[in-house]
Amino acid sequence: MKEQLPPKYIQLKEEIVSWIAMAQFKPHDKLPSENEIASRFGFSRQTVRQALGDLEAEGWLYRAQGKGTFVSDGERGQSRAEPQQKLTIGMMTTHISDYIFPTIVRGVESELRKHGARLLLSSTENEKSRERENLESMLLQQQLGGLIIEPTKSAEGNPNLDYFLALEARNIPYIMLNERYSDLDAVCLKVDDELGGFRAVEHLVKLGHQRIAGFFKTDDFQGVHRMRGFMRGLRERKLTLQPESIIRYTTEEKLVKPAAMLAELLLRDPAERPTAIVCYNDELAVRLLDVIRRSGLSVPGDLSMVGFDDATLATATEVKLTTFEHPKTRMGEDAVALLMAMIERRSGEERTADVIYEPKLIVRESTGPAPVQS
């Protein structure tokens, strides 16, 4: 059955709103005349007039007698009968209800309440296409004051650059959490992941470990930087970097590849297999604990483990994980404070500095002295 298209005036409204969202027409820019729009799309003037009238009523446009139709700045389009709307702050993360993200969101919500602003929350489910859809939706919010964004698969490039440039063209400030795309100069709040990877090796070497394997998700820069720090730690201590001891995987591979590769490593002769592993995050570490159990080995007796992020999972198993702290609540609060300062400051001031948190090691049961070979 053929899909029924919306009425022509609705199609035209959506097209004009997309012009505004993508900053093709900025506040107070004049739109083409009714005749020009009708000619461009092959619609009647009545259809154009109805679309423009609706957009004016909704606050997207305003008319100046004898001059034409112009793009509203948001405030102009608000009815005098309506109370002033709350400032809207958008937040877009790869996940909302999983892992460390609920705690970050709570920090954002708590700080926004102090400013009397409301939160518009969305998730990309770690998919670039969903990120694009969410950015488009956010750009259509009339009262959008700013955005807090966790980039999706940051190490795989930024196909949605046009939407970020539209934010800048419309003077909507945004900041990024955990990482940023390499082609953007966005203010970023992040842990020093490379230092964390380095310190993980440092901790294990002090316990006598020399055969250390690393498991890193490398479609985001957090994993890339943790791996870089891990390799630097091994090199500085003159430990051999065995290719099979550095396991890289993507989001799509996370449920299968790391477990399969660890199981293979653990089949080696005890004199050759790793005595310690560094995991991309606590979620992976908990998953790999099951692999170690099935291999008949123990943690930390046969194998020490280090995770990242100090998630709830880190203390939810019988073996409490040694891990690195992630400033979840504080990051959310700091993000709002920074964004509000960017919204309120005068244009032309210097760029706000990034916030880099030091990775703090939390030593628990999952790391111990390297096993003595008989």
Side-chain angles (χ1 to χ4, degrees):
M1 184 176 179
K2 188 176 180 179
E3 184 180 357
Q4 188 174 0
L5 294 174
K8 289 181 178 179
Y9 84 95
I10 296 293
Q11 296 178 46
L12 182 55
K13 281 179 62 178
E14 292 174 350
E15 178 66 19
I16 293 172
V17 168
S18 75
W19 295 349
I20 299 169
M22 294 302 292
Q24 295 177 41
F25 290 87
K26 302 179 181 63
H28 310 299
D29 281 354
K30 183 179 178 180
L31 289 186
S33 68
E34 290 182 6
N35 283 336
E36 289 171 326
I37 294 175
S39 175
R40 181 186 300 186
F41 293 98
F43 294 158
S44 68
R45 284 195 62 187
Q46 178 56 37
T47 296
V48 175
R49 195 172 293 120
Q50 184 176 2
L52 295 180
D54 277 12
L55 291 173
E56 182 181 5
E58 293 168 12
W60 290 102
L61 306 174
Y62 68 93
R63 296 180 193 269
Q65 189 67 34
K67 295 182 179 179
T69 302
F70 298 80
V71 176
S72 172
D73 59 7
E75 296 178 5
R76 179 186 289 269
Q78 186 171 314
S79 167
R80 288 187 177 88
E82 295 176 0
Q84 180 66 36
Q85 293 185 28
K86 281 187 174 182
L87 177 69
T88 297
I89 298 299
M91 182 175 186
M92 190 167 64
T93 58
T94 52
H95 302 283
I96 293 175
S97 58
D98 298 337
Y99 199 49
I100 63 174
F101 298 102
T103 310
I104 297 174
V105 171
R106 283 197 295 272
V108 169
E109 288 179 317
S110 173
E111 193 68 17
L112 282 178
R113 279 196 295 271
K114 299 176 185 178
H115 293 271
R118 73 184 185 100
L119 177 64
L120 183 63
L121 187 60
S122 67
S123 167
T124 69
E125 298 299 330
N126 214 29
E127 294 179 8
K128 299 282 193 183
S129 60
R130 288 287 299 275
E131 180 183 77
R132 188 172 189 85
E133 292 169 5
N134 289 345
L135 284 168
E136 182 176 24
S137 178
M138 292 289 184
L139 280 162
L140 296 179
Q141 298 295 319
Q142 283 229 323
Q143 299 297 321
L144 184 67
L147 272 171
I148 299 169
I149 302 168
E150 185 199 25
T152 296
K153 296 180 180 177
S154 54
E156 291 192 347
N158 180 15
N160 301 322
L161 177 63
D162 51 343
Y163 280 86
F164 289 103
L165 294 179
L167 287 170
E168 295 175 14
R170 290 180 56 187
N171 201 29
I172 298 174
Y174 63 93
I175 61 177
M176 293 194 156
L177 299 183
N178 293 322
E179 262 303 339
R180 65 167 158 253
Y181 289 121
S182 59
D183 54 5
L184 296 175
D185 190 34
V187 175
C188 183
L189 297 90
K190 56 175 285 187
V191 174
D192 188 336
D193 288 304
E194 182 173 341
L195 181 58
F198 180 86
R199 286 182 172 174
V201 171
E202 184 178 59
H203 172 66
L204 292 169
V205 170
K206 284 179 180 177
L207 292 171
H209 295 276
Q210 294 193 341
R211 298 192 304 277
I212 307 170
F215 295 75
F216 302 99
K217 189 165 80 73
T218 53
D219 52 7
D220 61 52
F221 279 129
Q222 295 98 300
V224 172
H225 293 152
R226 289 169 188 178
M227 182 176 68
R228 183 182 296 155
F230 171 84
M231 292 191 297
R232 180 165 63 89
L234 293 176
R235 287 191 184 104
E236 289 192 9
R237 284 154 184 79
K238 307 294 191 250
L239 297 176
T240 304
L241 277 167
Q242 299 287 354
E244 64 272 18
S245 295
I246 298 177
I247 291 85
R248 297 176 295 170
Y249 65 96
T250 65
T251 299
E252 289 74 22
E253 296 171 326
K254 71 177 185 178
L255 297 179
V256 177
K257 183 176 179 179
M261 296 301 291
L262 177 60
E264 188 175 311
L265 287 173
L266 297 182
L267 288 174
R268 293 182 169 192
D269 183 276
E272 296 179 356
R273 72 187 180 212
T275 62
I277 60 174
V278 175
C279 301
Y280 165 73
N281 63 11
D282 296 335
E283 181 182 43
L284 177 66
V286 170
R287 194 173 293 124
L288 294 185
L289 268 172
D290 290 334
V291 177
I292 297 166
R293 291 190 198 99
R294 290 196 298 269
S295 299
L297 302 176
S298 67
V299 174
D302 299 300
L303 195 73
S304 287
M305 302 181 72
V306 177
F308 275 84
D309 299 331
D310 193 27
T312 306
L313 293 168
T315 55
T317 62
E318 71 275 17
V319 179
K320 313 306 178 190
L321 288 176
T322 293
T323 185
F324 284 91
E325 181 183 88
H326 186 289
K328 298 172 275 291
T329 302
R330 181 183 169 192
M331 177 180 280
E333 294 170 345
D334 289 348
V336 172
L338 276 179
L339 187 60
M340 287 300 181
M342 292 168 66
I343 292 170
E344 293 169 6
R345 75 183 185 187
R346 295 189 305 275
S347 60
E349 291 188 8
E350 291 185 6
R351 176 189 182 279
T352 301
D354 292 340
V355 177
I356 310 296
Y357 302 97
E358 180 183 353
K360 296 180 181 178
L361 183 67
I362 302 171
V363 179
R364 296 194 181 105
E365 301 166 5
S366 69
T367 53
V372 178
Q373 301 297 328
S374 55

